[in-house]
Amino acid sequence: MICVVLAAGYATRLYPLTENFPKPLLKVRERPILDWLLDDIDSTGLVDRYVVVSNHRYVEHFQKWASQKMDVLDDGSVSNETRLGAVRDIQFAIKTLNLDDDLFVIAGDNLLDFSLANFLAYAQQKGATCVMRYWEPSIEKLRRAGVAQVDGLDRIVRMVEKPDSPVDHWCVPPFYYYRREDVPLIGKAIEDGCPTDAPGSLIAWLTNSIPIHAMEMPGKRYDIGDLDSYREVQEWFRING
Protein backbone atom coordinates (compact mmCIF):
# COMPACT_ATOMS: atom_id res chain seq x y z
CA MET A 1 0.00 0.00 0.00
CA ILE A 2 1.14 3.55 -0.77
CA CYS A 3 0.21 6.52 1.42
CA VAL A 4 -0.29 9.79 -0.49
CA VAL A 5 -0.24 12.90 1.68
CA LEU A 6 -2.04 15.95 0.30
CA ALA A 7 0.02 18.92 1.48
CA ALA A 8 -0.13 21.47 -1.35
CA GLY A 9 -2.59 23.90 0.22
CA TYR A 10 -1.64 27.39 1.34
CA ALA A 11 -3.53 27.58 4.67
CA THR A 12 -4.29 31.29 4.26
CA ARG A 13 -6.45 31.36 7.40
CA LEU A 14 -3.35 30.53 9.44
CA TYR A 15 -1.28 33.46 8.21
CA PRO A 16 1.24 34.67 9.31
CA LEU A 17 2.28 31.20 10.62
CA THR A 18 1.88 29.58 7.21
CA GLU A 19 2.77 32.46 4.92
CA ASN A 20 6.15 30.86 4.26
CA PHE A 21 5.76 27.53 6.05
CA PRO A 22 3.48 24.51 5.43
CA LYS A 23 0.64 23.79 7.85
CA PRO A 24 1.33 20.02 8.07
CA LEU A 25 4.75 20.78 9.57
CA LEU A 26 3.47 23.10 12.29
CA LYS A 27 4.29 21.61 15.65
CA VAL A 28 1.99 20.14 18.28
CA ARG A 29 3.82 19.11 21.46
CA GLU A 30 7.12 19.83 19.69
CA ARG A 31 6.35 17.41 16.83
CA PRO A 32 5.14 18.27 13.31
CA ILE A 33 1.48 17.42 12.71
CA LEU A 34 2.52 15.01 9.97
CA ASP A 35 4.77 13.06 12.34
CA TRP A 36 1.77 12.22 14.53
CA LEU A 37 -0.17 10.91 11.52
CA LEU A 38 2.60 9.04 9.74
CA ASP A 39 4.05 7.40 12.85
CA ASP A 40 0.61 5.95 13.53
CA ILE A 41 0.19 4.74 9.94
CA ASP A 42 3.71 3.31 9.88
CA SER A 43 3.01 1.32 13.04
CA THR A 44 0.44 -0.76 11.12
CA GLY A 45 3.15 -2.25 8.89
CA LEU A 46 0.77 -1.98 5.92
CA VAL A 47 2.37 0.94 4.07
CA ASP A 48 5.60 0.43 2.12
CA ARG A 49 5.91 3.89 0.56
CA TYR A 50 4.94 7.48 1.34
CA VAL A 51 4.39 10.27 -1.18
CA VAL A 52 3.97 13.90 -0.09
CA VAL A 53 2.50 16.29 -2.66
CA SER A 54 3.55 19.87 -1.95
CA ASN A 55 3.33 23.14 -3.81
CA HIS A 56 6.39 24.96 -5.12
CA ARG A 57 6.45 27.51 -2.29
CA TYR A 58 6.75 24.94 0.51
CA VAL A 59 8.48 21.99 -1.16
CA GLU A 60 11.92 22.69 0.33
CA HIS A 61 10.50 22.48 3.85
CA PHE A 62 9.11 19.02 3.12
CA GLN A 63 12.34 17.91 1.48
CA LYS A 64 14.30 18.84 4.61
CA TRP A 65 11.77 17.06 6.84
CA ALA A 66 11.25 13.89 4.79
CA SER A 67 12.89 10.55 5.50
CA GLN A 68 14.46 8.29 2.88
CA LYS A 69 11.20 6.33 2.81
CA MET A 70 9.34 9.28 1.29
CA ASP A 71 8.95 10.86 -2.13
CA VAL A 72 8.29 14.61 -2.05
CA LEU A 73 6.63 16.02 -5.17
CA ASP A 74 6.36 19.65 -6.26
CA ASP A 75 3.06 20.22 -8.09
CA GLY A 76 4.39 23.53 -9.45
CA SER A 77 1.74 25.84 -8.03
CA VAL A 78 2.92 29.08 -6.41
CA SER A 79 -0.22 30.63 -4.90
CA ASN A 80 -3.65 29.80 -3.54
CA GLU A 81 -5.16 31.09 -6.78
CA THR A 82 -3.07 28.80 -9.01
CA ARG A 83 -3.25 25.59 -6.92
CA LEU A 84 -4.11 22.39 -8.76
CA GLY A 85 -6.67 21.19 -6.24
CA ALA A 86 -6.62 17.99 -4.19
CA VAL A 87 -8.01 15.67 -6.87
CA ARG A 88 -5.51 16.81 -9.49
CA ASP A 89 -2.73 16.46 -6.93
CA ILE A 90 -3.69 12.81 -6.39
CA GLN A 91 -3.59 12.20 -10.13
CA PHE A 92 -0.31 14.14 -10.38
CA ALA A 93 1.28 11.75 -7.88
CA ILE A 94 -0.13 8.69 -9.67
CA LYS A 95 1.17 9.76 -13.08
CA THR A 96 4.52 11.17 -11.92
CA LEU A 97 5.51 8.04 -9.99
CA ASN A 98 3.47 5.48 -11.98
CA LEU A 99 1.74 4.39 -8.78
CA ASP A 100 0.11 1.00 -9.16
CA ASP A 101 -1.07 -0.19 -5.75
CA ASP A 102 -3.75 0.38 -3.15
CA LEU A 103 -3.64 4.06 -2.14
CA PHE A 104 -4.26 5.53 1.29
CA VAL A 105 -4.82 9.24 0.64
CA ILE A 106 -4.80 11.62 3.60
CA ALA A 107 -4.84 15.35 4.23
CA GLY A 108 -1.68 16.27 6.08
CA ASP A 109 -3.22 18.86 8.40
CA ASN A 110 -5.53 16.80 10.64
CA LEU A 111 -4.90 15.13 13.98
CA LEU A 112 -6.80 12.20 15.48
CA ASP A 113 -7.21 10.87 19.02
CA PHE A 114 -7.39 7.29 17.71
CA SER A 115 -5.30 5.02 15.51
CA LEU A 116 -5.99 4.58 11.80
CA ALA A 117 -5.14 0.87 12.10
CA ASN A 118 -8.80 -0.13 12.47
CA PHE A 119 -9.78 1.82 9.37
CA LEU A 120 -7.11 0.18 7.24
CA ALA A 121 -8.15 -3.24 8.55
CA TYR A 122 -11.79 -2.39 7.78
CA ALA A 123 -10.91 -1.38 4.21
CA GLN A 124 -8.94 -4.54 3.59
CA GLN A 125 -11.75 -6.67 5.01
CA LYS A 126 -14.28 -4.94 2.73
CA GLY A 127 -12.01 -5.31 -0.29
CA ALA A 128 -13.38 -2.00 -1.58
CA THR A 129 -12.64 1.69 -1.72
CA CYS A 130 -13.51 3.06 1.73
CA VAL A 131 -13.81 6.25 3.75
CA MET A 132 -14.61 7.13 7.34
CA ARG A 133 -17.65 9.04 8.59
CA TYR A 134 -18.64 10.89 11.74
CA TRP A 135 -21.90 12.41 12.94
CA GLU A 136 -21.93 16.22 12.73
CA PRO A 137 -24.93 17.98 14.33
CA SER A 138 -24.01 21.48 13.07
CA ILE A 139 -25.68 22.46 9.78
CA GLU A 140 -23.14 25.25 9.38
CA LYS A 141 -20.24 22.77 9.54
CA LEU A 142 -22.05 20.34 7.24
CA ARG A 143 -22.24 23.04 4.58
CA ARG A 144 -18.42 23.17 4.57
CA ALA A 145 -17.87 19.42 4.32
CA GLY A 146 -18.57 16.30 2.31
CA VAL A 147 -21.88 14.84 3.48
CA ALA A 148 -22.85 11.21 2.89
CA GLN A 149 -25.96 9.10 3.13
CA VAL A 150 -25.18 5.53 4.14
CA ASP A 151 -27.25 2.33 4.00
CA GLY A 152 -27.41 -0.44 6.60
CA LEU A 153 -24.32 -2.13 5.16
CA ASP A 154 -22.11 0.97 5.52
CA ARG A 155 -22.27 1.64 1.80
CA ILE A 156 -22.52 5.25 0.62
CA VAL A 157 -25.67 5.69 -1.44
CA ARG A 158 -25.13 9.42 -2.04
CA MET A 159 -22.52 12.03 -1.22
CA VAL A 160 -22.51 15.77 -1.80
CA GLU A 161 -19.55 18.08 -1.26
CA LYS A 162 -20.45 21.30 0.63
CA PRO A 163 -24.25 21.04 0.23
CA ASP A 164 -26.42 24.12 0.76
CA SER A 165 -29.13 21.93 2.27
CA PRO A 166 -27.55 18.84 3.87
CA VAL A 167 -29.85 15.81 3.76
CA ASP A 168 -27.91 13.88 6.43
CA HIS A 169 -25.39 14.42 9.22
CA TRP A 170 -22.61 12.02 8.21
CA CYS A 171 -19.42 13.96 7.43
CA VAL A 172 -16.57 12.34 5.51
CA PRO A 173 -13.11 13.44 6.75
CA PRO A 174 -10.07 13.52 4.40
CA PHE A 175 -8.86 9.93 4.83
CA TYR A 176 -9.52 7.74 1.78
CA TYR A 177 -8.57 4.17 0.91
CA TYR A 178 -8.62 3.49 -2.84
CA ARG A 179 -8.22 -0.13 -3.86
CA ARG A 180 -5.77 -0.69 -6.68
CA GLU A 181 -8.46 -1.64 -9.21
CA ASP A 182 -10.29 1.68 -8.69
CA VAL A 183 -7.29 4.01 -8.99
CA PRO A 184 -7.58 4.36 -12.82
CA LEU A 185 -11.05 5.85 -12.30
CA ILE A 186 -9.46 8.97 -10.79
CA GLY A 187 -8.21 10.12 -14.18
CA LYS A 188 -11.57 9.33 -15.74
CA ALA A 189 -13.33 11.38 -13.08
CA ILE A 190 -11.19 14.43 -13.92
CA GLU A 191 -11.83 13.95 -17.65
CA ASP A 192 -15.56 13.76 -16.96
CA GLY A 193 -15.57 17.10 -15.13
CA CYS A 194 -15.39 16.02 -11.49
CA PRO A 195 -14.66 19.11 -9.34
CA THR A 196 -11.00 18.97 -8.35
CA ASP A 197 -10.58 21.36 -5.42
CA ALA A 198 -11.93 19.23 -2.54
CA PRO A 199 -10.90 15.56 -2.29
CA GLY A 200 -14.42 14.62 -1.21
CA SER A 201 -15.70 15.56 -4.67
CA LEU A 202 -13.87 12.54 -6.04
CA ILE A 203 -15.64 10.21 -3.60
CA ALA A 204 -18.97 11.79 -4.57
CA TRP A 205 -18.22 11.09 -8.24
CA LEU A 206 -17.00 7.54 -7.62
CA THR A 207 -20.10 6.67 -5.60
CA ASN A 208 -22.03 6.58 -8.87
CA SER A 209 -19.59 4.03 -10.34
CA ILE A 210 -18.33 1.69 -7.62
CA PRO A 211 -19.33 0.54 -4.12
CA ILE A 212 -17.76 2.73 -1.44
CA HIS A 213 -18.04 1.81 2.23
CA ALA A 214 -17.87 4.22 5.16
CA MET A 215 -16.64 3.13 8.59
CA GLU A 216 -17.94 5.10 11.55
CA MET A 217 -15.01 6.98 13.04
CA PRO A 218 -14.06 5.58 16.48
CA GLY A 219 -12.81 8.84 17.93
CA LYS A 220 -12.36 12.53 17.30
CA ARG A 221 -10.69 14.42 14.47
CA TYR A 222 -9.03 17.78 15.02
CA ASP A 223 -9.15 19.94 11.91
CA ILE A 224 -6.57 22.72 12.14
CA GLY A 225 -8.19 25.38 9.99
CA ASP A 226 -7.31 28.68 11.64
CA LEU A 227 -5.27 30.17 14.47
CA ASP A 228 -7.92 29.51 17.10
CA SER A 229 -8.27 25.83 16.19
CA TYR A 230 -4.48 25.45 16.15
CA ARG A 231 -4.29 26.84 19.69
CA GLU A 232 -7.10 24.52 20.81
CA VAL A 233 -5.34 21.46 19.40
CA GLN A 234 -2.06 22.43 21.02
CA GLU A 235 -3.82 22.77 24.36
CA TRP A 236 -5.67 19.45 24.01
CA PHE A 237 -2.50 17.56 23.14
CA ARG A 238 -0.61 19.32 25.94
CA ILE A 239 -3.09 17.93 28.44
CA ASN A 240 -4.05 14.60 26.83
CA GLY A 241 -1.46 13.78 24.16
Side-chain angles (χ1 to χ4, degrees):
M1 186 189 311
I2 300 168
C3 178
V4 177
V5 180
L6 300 175
Y10 289 86
T12 55
R13 290 186 295 157
L14 272 162
Y15 280 11
L17 291 180
T18 54
E19 194 163 5
N20 295 294
F21 193 79
K23 178 165 61 166
L25 297 185
L26 291 177
K27 291 186 176 181
V28 172
R29 280 189 63 200
E30 302 307 314
R31 299 181 66 205
I33 294 167
L34 255 184
D35 281 2
W36 291 95
L37 282 170
L38 298 192
D39 284 356
D40 173 51
I41 294 169
D42 210 40
S43 71
T44 68
L46 296 172
V47 172
D48 338 273
R49 184 179 186 184
Y50 294 88
V51 179
V52 178
V53 185
S54 173
N55 58 53
H56 187 66
R57 187 193 297 180
Y58 299 151
V59 69
E60 289 186 3
H61 293 287
F62 286 109
Q63 289 168 338
K64 291 176 183 176
W65 161 85
S67 72
Q68 292 181 346
K69 197 175 178 179
M70 299 177 191
D71 294 285
V72 176
L73 301 181
D74 178 357
D75 76 358
S77 73
V78 294
S79 69
N80 196 50
E81 293 71 31
T82 61
R83 67 189 185 277
L84 298 188
V87 179
R88 289 189 182 277
D89 275 335
I90 297 170
Q91 183 66 357
F92 171 69
I94 293 167
K95 294 185 70 174
T96 301
L97 299 174
N98 296 313
L99 302 182
D100 183 22
D101 202 344
D102 296 334
L103 299 185
F104 184 31
V105 178
I106 69 170
D109 57 358
N110 288 246
L111 284 170
L112 307 169
D113 67 1
F114 62 93
S115 174
L116 288 162
N118 287 342
F119 173 61
L120 292 177
Y122 170 92
Q124 294 194 322
Q125 185 270 326
K126 289 290 185 183
T129 291
C130 292
V131 299
M132 288 191 289
R133 59 187 165 103
Y134 66 92
W135 190 259
E136 175 53 67
S138 167
I139 296 296
E140 180 182 350
K141 290 181 179 179
L142 289 168
R143 288 175 177 151
R144 302 195 301 267
V147 179
Q149 291 177 288
V150 181
D151 67 16
L153 298 175
D154 287 353
R155 179 169 167 169
I156 297 179
V157 295
R158 184 178 180 229
M159 180 168 162
V160 180
E161 186 68 27
K162 298 181 181 178
D164 291 329
S165 302
V167 295
D168 213 322
H169 287 266
W170 288 116
C171 267
V172 175
F175 297 89
Y176 316 100
Y177 174 92
Y178 296 98
R179 66 172 188 157
R180 181 180 189 172
E181 294 86 341
D182 297 335
V183 169
L185 292 173
I186 297 173
K188 186 176 186 302
I190 295 171
E191 291 173 3
D192 284 358
C194 171
T196 56
D197 192 40
S201 297
L202 177 58
I203 296 296
W205 187 93
L206 289 171
T207 298
N208 297 314
S209 305
I210 58 172
I212 297 180
H213 293 267
M215 184 190 89
E216 188 167 355
M217 207 164 68
K220 187 172 180 180
R221 162 190 169 236
Y222 298 90
D223 179 15
I224 301 169
D226 54 27
L227 291 169
D228 287 339
S229 60
Y230 180 42
R231 294 188 192 101
E232 289 171 9
V233 168
Q234 287 179 306
E235 180 63 15
W236 189 94
F237 271 78
R238 184 186 68 79
I239 297 171
N240 303 288

